[in-house]
Structure formats: C-alpha cells, structure tokens
Amino acid sequence: MKKIILFLLFFTMLIAAVACSKKGADSDKDRVTSAKTNESERDSAKASVTDGQKDNSNELNEVSEKSSDKDLSQHRVIASSVAVVEILDALGVPMVGVPTSSYELPESVADAERIGNPMSPDMEVITSLEPTVIISVNSLSEDLKTQFEALKIPSEFVDLASYKGLKESILSLGTYFGVEEKAADIIAEFESKEAAITDRTTGKGSPSVLIIFGATNTFMAATENTYVGDLVKSVGATNILDGMEGSFIPVDMEFLADKNPEYILFMAHANPEESLEAFKKEFETNEAWQNFDAVKNDKVIALDTGYFGMSANLQAPEAMDKLVGYLYTE
C-alpha cells in the first residue's frame, strides 16, 4: 500500500513538473514572440521615419506643406549665389542674407547681410541670421550641404547648370514660396523670346564653336555640359567637343586645331579683366592659334560676363540673343 501511495505521489509531482516546464516554455515563447513583435514594430517605425526623411529631403519638386503654407514675411531666406539672388528678387521673395560679390545686386537686397564668398560663406554670419532656408546651387551642394546640416539649417539646391534647369528652378521656387503666378509669368516671357530666336536661326545651318574658359592664366575648353555650352547648343550651334563627358577639358592644341572651329568664344571667370588680358596675350604669343580659321577670320569673341557665367541666370534669353548675333551674321 505504501508503495502505491509513493508511486501516486511521485507521478503527481512528475505531472506538476512537466506542467510547470511547459508553462515556462510557453512563457519564454511568448516573450520571444513579444520581442520579435516589438522588434518588428520598431523596424516598421524606423522605416516610417526613414521614409518620412526621404519624403522631406528638401527636393524642390516635393514642396512641404510647412513651406508652402508660410506667408513670405514668415520666411528668413538666404541666397548663396548671385544668380539665386536675382531669381528670388524677380519672384518677390525677400532675403536676409546674400553673397558678397563684385557684381551689382538688386536694390531689394541693399540692406541684406553679406555672407561672404558663395563657395565658402561665413557660417557664423549665416547662423546669426537665423534663416528658415538657404537657397544654393547644385554645383556647390557637396561642399555646403554637410555644413548646413551640421548647423541644422534647412537648405535647398537648385539646378542652374543649364537653361532647362534654370526654368525648372524658377517654377520650383515659385511653388516653394507660394508665388506660382510670378514664376509662370517669367517662364512665359522666356518662351516668347525663345520663339523669336528660333525664327532667326531656322534654316541657317549649325556653326561650329570652341568655348575657352579662362581664369587668369588657366585655360580650359568647355563642353556642352556647361551653362554657356548649353546656350550654344540651344541656339542651334555645334560645340566641337560635342559628346565629351565632364564640363571642362584641358586645352590640347593639336586636337582643337584638327576640329578647326568657325568661332572661338572666350568666357572669363574670376577677375574678368585680368582673365581677358591673359587670354589676349595667349593668342598673341602662342603661334598655334594663328592656324585656326576662327582667328584668321576674326571670329574670336570675348563674352560679356554679365550674360555669360558659370551658372544660368535671368539674362539667359538675352544671352542667347547675343549668341545669335555673334554666330549667325555674315
């Protein structure tokens, strides 16, 4: 009898132990499942935040409600290039900061703070102005975007590397600041002038052109991937570097002479007067240039820096009009 009682007691304890073990396993399983669920929720939330960041990546084509809902007076805008200043001025957007430049800036920014060189602005001055946004150009984005982000200053970068990019940037900025009608008016005026230019060049062939970019004693040949190169293409002329990658290539006299362009256009960068003098000296002292038809026929033209620069600007239609006058006259 005692054996039976001991056996029943042992059996009962064994069942209880198994039950507790199962309960513990189920509890562990629940904890694992719960942890996985929480981890999944965290990943989902993280993805949502990342997507939100992507959606608000400050691409002008995806205008945030925050910016479009603001009245212009609520913005504190800094423009980091002269071309951007001119565009924002035409759109009626007030600016608290503009670049320091030898170029004449619009009267509307006479009292705006100067922030220094467009390529290396004074970050201390920028911070002191407490901007709601800084508008810059794509060509400077790699250098400046990281600095702006470090200072937690919202920034927008527009494409002014081509005439098409200029028009798209004007429309995007118009939307960003809620002045779409003004932007549309500017584009309508551009397109009217484009039509007149097309009428003047239709059926007149495609003159070949070499564009020399000069900065004091440094000379490069500009491809169609530059703003001036794009303008030349826009008026129907042919850049002899058509199809070349990149924006500028070293001057190879043998290669260029073999292409023998009908026209040579010179665009000066920093210190235009010094660059032009250096360019003239180069033509006078380097006899290789004398073999070019453009030189023989006196078709070497120094471009006006007010119309032809590194970035597209509001003078683009007038610049194209000037190119037509240079390239399509006998």
Side-chain angles (χ1 to χ4, degrees):
M1 184 67 179
K2 290 181 179 180
K3 290 181 178 180
I4 293 173
I5 293 173
L6 289 173
F7 175 76
L8 291 174
L9 180 62
F10 174 76
F11 184 72
T12 301
M13 293 174 64
L14 180 62
I15 291 175
V18 170
C20 289
S21 175
K22 184 176 185 301
K23 183 178 180 180
D26 289 344
S27 179
D28 290 341
K29 183 177 180 181
D30 289 342
R31 283 195 294 272
V32 170
T33 301
S34 177
K36 287 183 177 180
T37 300
N38 291 336
E39 182 178 357
S40 176
E41 290 174 349
R42 285 196 301 272
D43 288 343
S44 177
K46 183 177 180 182
S48 178
V49 170
T50 302
D51 289 341
Q53 290 173 340
K54 288 179 180 178
D55 291 340
N56 295 288
S57 60
N58 286 335
E59 291 294 335
L60 284 175
N61 290 332
E62 300 175 5
V63 182
S64 67
E65 292 182 3
K66 184 177 180 181
S67 63
S68 60
D69 286 346
K70 280 186 177 180
D71 181 84
L72 278 179
S73 63
Q74 294 179 282
H75 284 284
R76 291 184 59 80
V77 182
I78 290 179
S80 76
S81 82
V82 173
V84 171
V85 171
E86 293 174 347
I87 293 171
L88 294 180
D89 173 68
L91 292 172
V93 177
M95 291 160 270
V96 297
V98 296
T100 304
S101 174
S102 59
Y103 291 99
E104 185 176 352
L105 297 179
E107 183 63 29
S108 66
V109 297
D111 297 327
E113 193 75 26
R114 269 45 182 176
I115 64 170
N117 188 296
M119 292 180 286
S120 55
D122 189 322
M123 292 298 168
E124 187 174 344
V125 173
I126 287 176
T127 303
S128 71
L129 293 173
E130 300 181 345
T132 56
V133 67
I134 295 177
I135 309 295
S136 188
V137 293
N138 276 345
S139 58
L140 301 176
S141 62
E142 291 184 7
D143 298 324
L144 296 179
K145 190 172 185 179
T146 301
Q147 297 180 62
F148 294 153
E149 288 178 347
L151 295 172
K152 297 182 179 180
I153 300 173
S155 58
E156 302 286 0
F157 292 86
V158 295
D159 175 16
L160 300 182
S162 67
Y163 181 52
K164 178 183 178 182
L166 168 66
K167 292 194 291 184
E168 292 176 346
S169 295
I170 290 170
L171 291 173
S172 296
L173 286 169
T175 302
Y176 186 88
F177 291 107
V179 288
E180 294 91 342
E181 288 188 9
K182 288 185 178 180
D185 288 343
I186 294 172
I187 299 304
E189 186 176 351
F190 275 16
E191 292 178 346
S192 175
K193 293 178 180 178
E194 283 177 51
I197 288 170
T198 300
D199 289 342
R200 292 173 60 194
T201 58
T202 299
K204 291 189 176 182
S206 182
S208 60
V209 177
L210 164 64
I211 306 168
I212 297 293
F213 168 79
T216 311
N217 293 317
T218 301
F219 300 105
M220 303 284 281
T223 71
E224 60 183 12
N225 300 316
T226 61
Y227 169 55
V228 174
D230 183 65
L231 287 182
V232 166
K233 182 178 180 180
S234 296
V235 299
T238 300
N239 189 321
I240 63 170
L241 302 182
D242 181 27
M244 289 277 190
E245 295 184 359
S247 300
F248 302 96
I249 67 169
V251 171
D252 182 329
M253 295 303 295
E254 185 177 349
F255 172 78
L256 297 179
D258 183 60
K259 295 289 185 180
N260 198 18
E262 296 174 64
Y263 293 86
I264 296 177
L265 304 179
F266 175 71
M267 58 175 290
H269 191 35
N271 302 314
E273 292 183 2
E274 292 182 17
S275 298
L276 183 56
E277 284 302 315
F279 176 67
K280 290 179 179 178
K281 185 177 180 180
E282 164 70 13
F283 267 67
E284 291 171 358
T285 59
N286 188 342
E287 294 183 2
W289 289 110
Q290 306 309 313
N291 296 319
F292 286 72
D293 285 344
V295 177
K296 294 177 182 178
N297 299 322
D298 195 26
K299 292 184 177 180
V300 179
I301 301 156
L303 300 176
D304 186 335
T305 56
Y307 296 92
F308 303 92
M310 294 295 290
S311 296
N313 55 58
L314 293 180
Q315 285 72 46
E318 286 74 17
M320 288 192 288
D321 185 66
K322 285 182 176 293
L323 283 176
V324 171
Y326 297 148
L327 305 177
Y328 290 91
T329 55
E330 294 298 332

